[in-house]
Amino acid sequence: MFRSLLFVPGNNPSMLQNADIFMCDAIIFDLEDSVNLDEKDNARNLVETYLLTTKELPKAVILRINPVNSELINDDLKLLETRRIDYVLLPKANKISLFVLDKILNDLENKFELKQTKVICLVEEAKAIIEVYDLAIHERVRGLLLGAEDLTSELEINRTISGEEILYARSKVIYAAISNKIIPIDTPFTDINDTEGLIKDCKKALNLGMKAKTAIHPSQLETINDIFSPSKEAIEWAKALLAKAKTLNKGAFQFEGKMIDRPIIEKAKKIIEKAKLFDLM
Amino acid sequence: MLNGVKRDIPKNLPRFISSDDFLNKSRRLIEKKKKQSKTVFFNSYDEVFDKLKIKDKQTLSFHHHLRNGDKVIQDVSKIIKKLGLKDLHFAPSSIFPSYTNMIDLIFNGNITNIHTNYLNGEVAKIISEGKLKGKLVMNTHGGRARAIESGDLGIDVAFIACPTVDKFGNGTGAIGKNACGTLGYCISDLEYAKKVVLVTDNLVGKLDSYQLNGEYVDGVLVVDSIGEAKGIVSGTTEITKDPVGLKIAKDCSSLLYELDLIKNNFSMQTGAGKTSLAVVNYVKDIMKKQNIIGEFASGGITKSYVDMLEEGLFKKLYDVQCFDLDAVKSFRKNKNHIAMSASEYGNPFVKNSIANKLDFVILGATEIDIDFNVNVTTDSIGYIIGGSGGHADIAKGAKVTIIISPLIKSRIPIIKEKVNTITTPGEDIDILITERGIAINPKRKDLIEKLKTTKIKIYDIKELLEKTHNLTGVPSKIKVSDDIIGYVEYRDGTYIDVLREVHNDYIR
């Protein structure tokens, strides 16, 4: 379960060194888009050295590999041998690329006796939006991350603050993820100086059903965490409701003037689960 | 002989005992000067030197309110070179990189001793390398005022750059083409120097309000330019984007909140750096959300505090030195933006000094050691890169003193077993906030107790040292020369540390 995931370019040593101190729930060490071709080996070496030598890792480690049809993929996935990577982020995910990745991972896991590698699919192509449910049902896949920049580029449309152009894509990702009990993760907000815009974008994504958002700069994390965390009021409401449910031990009852039944109790339980996980209680 | 912070101080010099030791002494004050005649107007620096009979071995003082924009100290240095005066004692409140005309004077023995609060740039470099023939004494802003008022630092002639002067010799920094705002650092010089010359580039008929009283002024010199007010800008108007700085600022604001330090009528002071500004912004958010109105903020004042005053978040600003032009403008227009002298700010013998009224201060450090001693004077190889300024004054005065710093700066750990130079004693430092954890001085049991029930994790400072060494390795020990080039003088006039010449291996 995440609220915030921060992209860190693999070739940025100072960001790597401080990866454990940022206020995010996961770090995405990027070997793909933020790293130029002539820096790929350097970035991979730096990330590997960091993973092998650091004493304090971030809460969760995600590795964004290069596309499976690139020559870089095998070297990228060798980093799994460090046994310190929690998820692989598959760029340009679609049914074929996920199939190929699954096959490579099976071979690696057998050869090096690794446990099953969890995958987050980066949904950033029109084809992927159509196939997103098939990605979500794959046993390795634990999350779907919408990549709106590549998607809108392919569609030849402009990104806007209101985000209407990605409403369909966001919704597809959310419904595919939620219906398969995995996490939908929202696309990053790319203007790091526009805090108001970030707030609006987070709220929009949250209200549609996104459960987390990626950040491209640490300065975005506080806003993202605030918006994707249960509020103090929600936590208090959930605590009181669950306390009453425990006392009454009934399937349905009244609470604060409203009828409460199983779905509401489940919602309250999720709030408490998140609050505990994110150290809000 | 070892002093109270275990530094070896040469015999016969006053040794620091503790930051409270001044309480065992009574305040010494020499008489304020009495002007013998009416204010004289000079035509040139040459005439000033001639009429005031400035000669070898005298002490000349200056203030640094124009900071890197100051031309007065530059022009006086030129005249000294021309006249060939020798063995002068310079006592500017600070020395900035732009004061380049001092360099030749130091090499040639025109200036042989210096008394200042802060030192940076080429002058600092050559002094660090042993080029000053006499000694450098680095004291604090409050300590300098104390030294002048007690006669410990006798001043023969004070050259006071003053943006506007009237025909009666009264002066103000609030107006004029080079307005720099408050003139707090030169008030002691004005009142206690044997001779006082105001140097201005804006002469007016009569000032209705002024900070410098013409009663103390012997002469006025009108020049084309006293400098460039744009050069006064210190600090920044931008909040840090540095993720490490942001993390520190956020943790600092959480800690202030948990310690219940942000409440109605509270008072605070911070530095002018980007991380400090981020802290101020977080504090501002808390104040707005909780409808809190603070009593005052103080220090070198920046735009961020001016904005808070204008928004009604603080009732007053006490300003010893404007750090930017927004602060200058505010000082000119807002009656609640109040000038204070260095003595009113941080003189240990001024009981109700602003420093003593502060609830908390947030300061930086170049190094901090496991006894919480702080160095803001020298860098990791011994070059002078700053000085106390008001650091030691407000660290002593404030109820809670917080140091904010990344654990590593340019690959160098800031926590040391022992700092190279002690500027502020550890007994006056309460909390260290870094990006990887917070340490509290064990003597502040009250703070530790208060934080026990919160989610804020407290580390032993030695644990933070270990964390740093895990990242950087253990740095090799710095080599130091045996030659003493000067002293760090604590605010009470005792010596807290010595300054040694940079070792030959590090000369660059």
Side-chain angles (χ1 to χ4, degrees):
Chain A
M1 202 182 288
F2 310 119
R3 293 163 301 179
S4 55
L5 306 89
L6 175 67
F7 279 102
V8 168
N11 58 344
N12 185 332
S14 66
M15 288 283 279
L16 287 173
Q17 182 185 281
N18 290 313
D20 60 307
I21 66 157
F22 300 131
M23 296 174 270
C24 56
D25 300 319
I27 294 277
I28 303 170
F29 293 110
D30 189 17
L31 302 179
E32 198 218 9
D33 276 356
S34 65
V35 180
N36 285 337
L37 190 59
D38 58 357
E39 277 282 299
K40 295 283 185 190
D41 289 345
N42 185 28
R44 193 183 308 110
N45 288 341
L46 274 171
V47 173
E48 183 178 24
T49 306
Y50 166 78
L51 292 173
L52 289 172
T53 57
T54 192
K55 292 196 175 171
E56 294 182 45
L57 282 170
K59 285 186 203 164
V61 173
I62 301 171
L63 182 71
R64 175 154 79 164
I65 54 174
N66 285 287
V68 291
N69 58 358
S70 77
E71 290 174 354
L72 303 160
I73 184 68
N74 289 323
D75 285 338
D76 288 354
L77 287 172
K78 275 186 188 164
L79 266 57
L80 290 171
E81 289 175 45
T82 62
R83 290 174 161 78
R84 305 193 87 174
I85 293 167
D86 300 304
Y87 302 86
V88 164
L89 177 60
L90 173 64
K92 309 274 185 292
N94 56 45
K95 283 202 300 190
I96 294 170
S97 65
L98 182 59
F99 174 81
V100 175
L101 177 67
D102 182 52
K103 191 172 177 321
I104 301 170
L105 288 175
N106 280 334
D107 291 346
L108 274 176
E109 286 158 4
N110 286 333
K111 187 174 173 187
F112 297 106
E113 297 182 349
L114 304 172
K115 63 180 183 181
Q116 190 184 50
T117 307
K118 292 178 278 189
V119 171
I120 295 172
C121 287
L122 182 46
V123 180
E124 54 185 340
E125 294 176 325
K127 183 179 167 65
I129 297 295
I130 303 303
E131 297 176 351
V132 68
Y133 188 83
D134 292 321
L135 304 179
I137 59 171
H138 196 286
E139 61 168 351
R140 284 187 188 275
V141 175
R142 305 302 163 88
L144 299 175
L145 165 54
L146 176 64
E149 298 308 314
D150 280 33
L151 180 65
T152 50
S153 170
E154 186 186 356
L155 295 172
E156 296 181 44
I157 55 174
N158 292 326
R159 290 281 281 115
T160 64
I161 293 285
S162 63
E164 277 150 13
E165 69 285 357
I166 58 166
L167 177 62
Y168 176 72
R170 269 178 165 158
S171 303
K172 286 278 286 186
V173 165
I174 290 162
Y175 283 91
I178 301 293
S179 62
N180 285 288
K181 296 191 165 32
I182 61 173
I183 184 169
I185 304 163
D186 198 39
T187 188
F189 185 75
T190 54
D191 184 349
I192 60 169
N193 296 313
D194 182 4
T195 307
E196 289 305 311
L198 175 65
I199 291 170
K200 280 182 194 163
D201 196 48
C202 286
K203 285 184 176 169
K204 180 149 221 165
L206 178 78
N207 290 334
L208 287 170
M210 287 290 182
K211 303 295 176 228
K213 191 169 179 72
T214 42
I216 55 166
H217 191 276
S219 63
Q220 298 179 318
L221 293 170
E222 193 182 355
T223 301
I224 294 174
N225 284 343
D226 279 351
I227 293 171
F228 284 91
S229 295
S231 65
K232 275 183 191 166
E233 296 74 25
I235 295 168
E236 290 310 311
W237 170 83
K239 272 161 67 177
L241 186 146
L242 292 176
K244 186 158 186 184
K246 197 175 174 185
T247 314
L248 295 175
N249 198 22
K250 284 182 182 173
F253 58 90
Q254 271 207 357
F255 179 70
E256 294 177 353
K258 288 181 181 162
M259 271 310 290
I260 303 295
D261 55 7
R262 195 185 55 79
I264 309 287
I265 293 171
E266 288 306 314
K267 184 180 167 189
K269 280 182 181 169
K270 275 186 190 170
I271 289 171
I272 297 298
E273 187 190 352
K274 277 189 187 179
K276 282 181 180 166
L277 186 71
F278 300 136
D279 201 21
L280 303 171
M281 291 176 68
Chain B
M1 286 180 81
L2 295 183
N3 67 6
V5 283
K6 297 181 184 134
R7 295 291 161 129
D8 199 5
I9 304 294
K11 272 182 192 171
N12 306 324
L13 292 176
R15 279 174 295 125
F16 171 83
I17 295 172
S18 80
S19 64
D20 275 333
D21 191 54
F22 74 92
L23 295 170
N24 301 319
K25 298 169 188 168
S26 52
R27 186 178 189 183
R28 286 181 291 119
L29 280 174
I30 56 172
E31 267 195 64
K32 285 188 185 179
K33 66 172 288 186
K34 286 193 180 107
K35 199 170 62 165
Q36 301 301 314
S37 57
K38 70 172 193 176
T39 305
V40 175
F41 282 79
F42 298 112
N43 293 311
S44 66
Y45 279 109
D46 289 292
E47 190 187 352
V48 173
F49 272 68
D50 182 41
K51 292 273 169 62
L52 297 185
K53 298 184 175 54
I54 296 174
K55 55 180 188 283
D56 295 350
K57 297 186 179 175
Q58 284 196 327
T59 299
L60 310 184
S61 81
F62 308 84
H63 67 67
H64 68 279
H65 287 278
L66 285 158
R67 301 169 70 84
N68 267 315
D70 194 303
K71 195 164 173 283
V72 172
I73 195 165
Q74 289 284 80
D75 288 344
V76 170
S77 297
K78 266 190 217 167
I79 301 294
I80 290 167
K81 190 174 181 180
K82 189 173 88 178
L83 298 175
L85 296 177
K86 290 285 181 185
D87 292 327
L88 290 169
H89 177 197
F90 256 38
S93 48
S94 291
I95 296 173
F96 279 81
S98 65
Y99 302 177
T100 48
N101 288 351
M102 286 179 66
I103 295 166
D104 273 355
L105 301 188
I106 291 168
F107 274 115
N108 297 331
N110 306 98
I111 299 171
T112 47
N113 289 284
I114 293 177
H115 219 110
T116 193
N117 302 157
Y118 178 95
L119 182 60
N120 200 349
E122 192 62 19
V123 173
K125 181 175 181 290
I126 63 168
I127 293 175
S128 302
E129 292 171 357
K131 303 295 189 279
L132 185 71
K133 292 183 176 61
K135 292 284 184 279
L136 167 72
V137 175
M138 298 195 67
N139 57 2
T140 72
H141 287 328
R144 181 178 186 275
R146 177 209 57 76
I148 294 171
E149 292 170 14
S150 66
D152 286 353
L153 174 56
I155 294 168
D156 292 299
V157 183
F159 285 92
I160 298 178
C162 189
T164 295
V165 176
D166 72 12
K167 288 181 177 168
F168 305 94
N170 303 308
T172 179
I175 54 173
K177 64 181 176 186
N178 282 308
C180 60
T182 62
L183 295 167
Y185 293 129
C186 62
I187 302 300
S188 306
D189 307 52
L190 174 80
E191 294 176 352
Y192 292 91
K194 287 177 195 153
K195 296 287 177 191
V196 173
V197 180
L198 300 192
V199 184
T200 189
D201 50 15
N202 188 37
L203 184 68
V204 296
K206 187 174 185 302
L207 283 167
D208 291 330
S209 67
Y210 45 83
Q211 197 182 358
L212 307 186
N213 187 339
E215 285 296 307
Y216 301 105
V217 177
D218 298 279
V220 175
L221 171 64
V222 183
V223 294
D224 290 339
S225 171
I226 58 168
E228 185 72 54
K230 277 185 277 182
I232 73 167
V233 176
S234 168
T236 175
T237 53
E238 273 180 42
I239 294 171
T240 186
K241 284 271 189 295
D242 166 37
V244 172
L246 279 173
K247 167 86 164 57
I248 292 168
K250 177 70 183 163
D251 288 350
C252 182
S253 67
S254 304
L255 181 120
L256 293 169
Y257 180 75
E258 293 292 355
L259 288 174
D260 199 23
L261 287 168
I262 307 170
K263 56 189 176 193
N264 276 325
N265 301 319
F266 81 101
S267 54
M268 69 180 283
Q269 183 169 332
T270 63
K274 288 186 175 190
T275 306
S276 291
L277 191 54
V279 176
V280 174
N281 235 41
Y282 281 123
V283 169
K284 187 174 171 178
D285 284 348
I286 294 170
M287 291 171 80
K288 278 183 168 174
K289 274 182 197 157
Q290 310 215 356
N291 295 318
I292 290 167
I293 296 173
E295 183 63 30
F296 72 86
S298 62
I301 293 295
T302 56
K303 180 180 186 298
S304 53
Y305 283 116
V306 168
D307 291 345
M308 289 171 86
L309 178 70
E310 286 174 2
E311 287 176 50
L313 294 170
F314 280 111
K315 293 177 198 166
K316 288 172 186 146
L317 298 180
Y318 287 105
D319 192 352
V320 69
Q321 173 191 28
C322 295
F323 270 159
D324 57 39
L325 299 179
D326 289 276
V328 175
K329 195 171 158 192
S330 164
F331 172 63
R332 184 161 58 236
K333 290 184 170 177
N334 196 327
K335 65 178 171 40
N336 292 318
H337 187 149
I338 301 162
M340 61 176 166
S341 70
S343 207
E344 291 163 336
Y345 173 42
N347 184 337
F349 291 102
V350 174
K351 203 175 172 189
N352 291 318
S353 68
I354 292 298
N356 288 352
K357 290 179 185 168
L358 281 162
D359 287 318
F360 65 89
V361 292
I362 295 163
L363 298 167
T366 308
E367 296 177 330
I368 183 167
D369 67 23
I370 54 176
D371 296 319
F372 286 83
N373 296 310
V374 167
N375 171 19
V376 287
T377 304
T378 53
D379 70 7
S380 61
I381 51 173
Y383 274 98
I384 297 164
I385 41 104
S388 174
H391 200 286
D393 296 318
I394 53 175
K396 174 62 193 167
K399 292 178 188 74
V400 179
T401 297
I402 300 167
I403 300 292
I404 55 171
S405 175
L407 270 187
I408 303 159
K409 283 181 185 167
S410 307
R411 293 172 292 166
I412 296 166
I414 72 126
I415 304 181
K416 310 269 175 171
E417 292 275 348
K418 283 184 190 302
V419 291
N420 291 335
T421 306
I422 298 179
T423 313
T424 301
E427 64 183 295
D428 292 339
I429 304 297
D430 301 313
I431 299 171
L432 167 67
I433 301 178
T434 74
E435 74 280 23
R436 290 174 193 278
I438 294 171
I440 298 190
N441 193 329
K443 81 180 180 66
R444 289 305 302 261
K445 291 187 175 64
D446 57 328
L447 301 179
I448 295 168
E449 195 57 39
K450 217 167 183 177
L451 292 171
K452 258 185 187 166
T453 53
T454 70
K455 284 180 186 163
I456 292 175
K457 191 175 175 197
I458 305 300
Y459 294 87
D460 188 302
I461 195 166
K462 288 177 188 163
E463 289 178 83
L464 292 182
L465 177 67
E466 198 182 322
K467 271 174 182 265
T468 319
H469 287 172
N470 285 339
L471 291 166
T472 62
V474 181
S476 53
K477 277 200 172 164
I478 176 178
K479 294 177 195 170
V480 286
S481 142
D482 291 334
D483 298 330
I484 293 174
I485 56 166
Y487 306 99
V488 181
E489 185 182 280
Y490 189 63
R491 59 203 296 258
D492 64 358
T494 60
Y495 287 175
I496 194 166
D497 210 344
V498 297
L499 294 162
R500 288 178 194 278
E501 190 179 318
V502 171
H503 193 275
N504 272 338
D505 289 0
Y506 306 134
I507 301 285
R508 50 196 179 207

